[in-house]
Amino acid sequence: MSDQTKSPDTSAKSPALSVEANEYKQIASKHEPSRPVFKNCIRAFLVGGTICLIGQCIQQAFVSGFHMTQKDAASPTVAVLILASVILTCFGVYDKIAQFAGAGSAVPVTGFANSMCSAALEHRAEGLVLGVGANMFKLAGSVIVFGVVAAFIIGVIYACLGFGGYHL
């Protein structure tokens, strides 16, 4: 065969295409948009604090309006926060709050209710059992299992140390 009929050498890399990992990271970091970390922290703090402040106001309303103790008002306060979170999720408002606040909207009670409600809304077309139930509890299942296991371990520790009036 002559040199003209040979296929081009594909083993030699073109200098324009060979980029080392470090070079790639440098190039990518130049084009990556900067993140306003301080601004995001302020937003998260303000929105998370506002959610907690609303919860405290709801609890105080139960204490003064229904003559409950702080301990008795805790459960209905959590229920109202969950209900408000679910309603705001259904209308698409909570998602806009989450986009603005980032991690600040992940206050445990409202953030968890939002994630469960979002999963239920997203998969409702697939049916109640295999759509809503199965997908809603993908997240909730792991959280519930972790909570139960953690509570059991803490309970055993408390029992061994003699807290709560029970001794082993």
Side-chain angles (χ1 to χ4, degrees):
M1 252 200 231
S2 70
D3 289 336
Q4 294 175 347
T5 59
K6 285 184 182 177
S7 63
D9 186 16
T10 56
S11 63
K13 292 184 179 179
S14 171
L17 296 178
S18 65
V19 178
E20 296 295 323
N22 291 334
E23 291 178 76
Y24 176 77
K25 287 181 184 178
Q26 289 175 351
I27 293 169
S29 66
K30 288 179 186 175
H31 297 288
E32 184 177 297
S34 63
R35 296 181 185 171
V37 176
F38 184 72
K39 183 175 147 183
N40 290 344
C41 289
I42 296 297
R43 284 181 174 181
F45 175 77
L46 291 175
V47 172
T50 302
I51 292 171
C52 293
L53 178 66
I54 291 169
Q56 191 64 42
C57 291
I58 292 168
Q59 184 176 18
Q60 194 59 39
F62 279 117
V63 168
S64 62
F66 295 103
H67 307 292
M68 296 179 164
T69 65
Q70 292 282 345
K71 188 175 181 180
D72 291 340
S75 294
T77 300
V78 170
V80 169
L81 285 172
I82 289 171
L83 179 64
S85 175
V86 168
I87 290 170
L88 290 174
T89 300
C90 289
F91 288 118
V93 176
Y94 201 91
D95 293 334
K96 291 179 181 170
I97 294 170
Q99 286 176 348
F100 175 79
S105 64
V107 173
V109 171
T110 57
F112 186 66
N114 168 262
S115 63
M116 292 212 28
C117 182
S118 295
L121 290 173
E122 184 177 340
H123 299 285
R124 69 177 181 258
E126 298 172 23
L128 286 176
V129 175
L130 296 177
V132 174
N135 289 297
M136 184 171 62
F137 289 108
K138 281 182 182 176
L139 169 72
S142 60
V143 173
I144 291 169
V145 167
F146 177 78
V148 169
V149 170
F152 176 77
I153 291 170
I154 297 298
V156 168
I157 292 170
Y158 267 49
C160 289
L161 295 176
F163 296 122
Y166 299 105
H167 300 281
L168 290 179

